[in-house]
């Protein structure tokens, strides 16, 4: 199965620690998106990347959050000095092209900050 | 400001009947619309999409209708099956805004046997 893969599925961090979430897009897909879902809410766009480039990070908090999609390896969403409000489900999606193509989602990483 | 709204948080339907899920949007720049289905602890699964140049798209039991003048779309599932019970999200994108999807808050569909 060449679906979108995310790991870990569950991540527990204490306040102040760092969280690293990984995403491997579907085979043949070069566009990666990160979304966050807070409890009882819909998904909110965070960042859109292509290989080695951040295309749109308009949904990303200005501090503590960063994302990358290196030439080799998975896309990484990094949250430094986590706070309780960062607790959420983080979903990665990928698509083949930019316009009019469906985004396919991974199973998500559920981050819990103690 | 919610640009995509799903005003019904939940919907209950009898097996075999039609399920109609509704979605309203405010941004006239949206030109591509999608429906996703989500089970607990899983990622959203793509169901069906529609471009703004169409008013209907059909795929098996799923049909999406788009009314651009009313800024409204709906997903029809017929006949509904118990396995359709899930949360359904409406999403929209604008060609001139890259490829980010703006999601509604979701509608929980329960199909009773």
């Amino acid at each position: 199965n060449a679906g979108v893969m995310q790991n870990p599925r569950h991540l527990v961090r204490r306040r102040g620690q760092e969280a690293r979430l990984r995403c491997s897009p579907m085979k043949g897909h070069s566009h990666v998106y990160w979304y966050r879902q807070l409890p009882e809410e819909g998904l909110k766009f965070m960042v859109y990347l292509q290989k080695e480039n951040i295309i749109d990070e308009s949904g990303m908090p200005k501090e503590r959050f960063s994302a990358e999609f290196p030439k080799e390896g998975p896309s990484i969403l990094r949250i430094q000095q986590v706070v309780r409000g960062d607790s959420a489900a983080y979903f990665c999606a990928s698509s083949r092209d930019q316009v009019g193509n469906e985004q396919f989602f991974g199973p998500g990483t559920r981050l819990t900050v103690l | 400001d919610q640009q995509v709204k799903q005003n019904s948080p939940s919907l209950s339907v009898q097996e075999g009947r039609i399920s109609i899920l509704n979605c309203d949007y405010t941004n006239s720049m949206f030109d591509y619309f999608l429906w996703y289905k989500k089970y607990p602890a899983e990622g959203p699964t793509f169901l069906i999409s529609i471009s703004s140049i169409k008013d209907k798209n059909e795929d098996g039991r799923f049909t999406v209708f788009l009314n651009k003048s009313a800024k409204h779309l709906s997903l029809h599932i017929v006949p509904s099956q118990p396995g359709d019970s899930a949360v359904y999200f409406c999403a929209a994108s604008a060609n001139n805004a890259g490829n980010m999807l703006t999601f509604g808050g979701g509608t929980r569909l329960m199909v009773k046997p």
Side-chain angles (χ1 to χ4, degrees):
Chain A
N1 185 338
V4 178
M5 296 176 62
Q6 288 187 252
N7 68 81
R9 293 293 307 274
H10 300 275
L11 183 61
V12 179
R13 285 288 179 265
R14 296 193 180 279
R15 281 180 298 170
Q17 291 184 321
E18 179 180 287
R20 282 191 179 225
L21 290 64
R22 294 174 190 79
C23 169
S24 297
M26 283 180 70
K27 188 175 181 181
H29 286 193
S30 59
H31 301 253
V32 166
Y33 318 82
W34 286 93
Y35 293 84
R36 174 165 67 175
Q37 184 184 25
L38 296 171
E40 305 303 320
E41 293 187 13
L43 284 75
K44 297 283 196 296
F45 169 80
M46 298 181 75
V47 62
Y48 163 37
L49 310 103
Q50 294 180 32
K51 283 286 186 182
E52 300 184 279
N53 285 307
I54 296 174
I55 307 301
D56 182 350
E57 55 182 349
S58 58
M60 198 102 102
K62 293 288 184 283
E63 297 177 350
R64 302 188 297 107
F65 285 73
S66 62
E68 62 177 8
F69 188 16
K71 189 177 179 181
E72 301 289 339
S75 175
I76 306 285
L77 179 67
R78 183 180 175 207
I79 312 172
Q80 295 178 289
Q81 299 174 328
V82 296
V83 300
R84 288 219 174 103
D86 297 332
S87 296
Y90 292 82
F91 293 98
C92 168
S94 72
S95 70
R96 190 181 70 241
D97 296 315
Q98 179 178 0
V99 178
N101 263 271
E102 299 80 18
Q103 295 180 20
F104 295 88
F105 283 79
T109 294
R110 186 163 299 277
L111 172 66
T112 302
V113 180
L114 301 177
Chain B
D1 176 34
Q2 264 192 299
Q3 297 187 62
V4 179
K5 285 186 182 178
Q6 294 176 254
N7 290 318
S8 299
S10 65
L11 174 67
S12 184
V13 169
Q14 203 67 36
E15 180 179 7
R17 308 294 283 266
I18 185 170
S19 296
I20 300 177
L21 297 101
N22 293 304
C23 178
D24 297 292
Y25 62 96
T26 57
N27 188 343
S28 56
M29 299 304 294
F30 287 145
D31 55 10
Y32 196 70
F33 304 89
L34 308 90
W35 283 95
Y36 285 86
K37 170 181 175 180
K38 187 180 181 302
Y39 294 116
E42 292 185 15
T45 301
F46 170 75
L47 274 178
I48 192 168
S49 62
I50 188 166
S51 164
S52 59
I53 62 174
K54 294 186 175 182
D55 55 18
K56 177 183 174 182
N57 189 24
E58 192 172 351
D59 184 2
R61 296 186 298 116
F62 302 92
T63 303
V64 56
F65 295 92
L66 175 62
N67 182 334
K68 281 190 296 182
S69 61
K71 293 193 177 68
H72 177 85
L73 64 155
S74 60
L75 174 68
H76 292 210
I77 307 172
V78 56
S80 301
Q81 300 172 354
D84 295 330
S85 298
V87 178
Y88 288 77
F89 289 99
C90 164
S93 69
N95 189 16
N96 68 346
N99 217 15
M100 59 173 281
L101 293 179
T102 301
F103 281 84
T107 296
R108 183 176 302 277
L109 173 65
M110 292 162 284
V111 180
K112 298 177 185 175

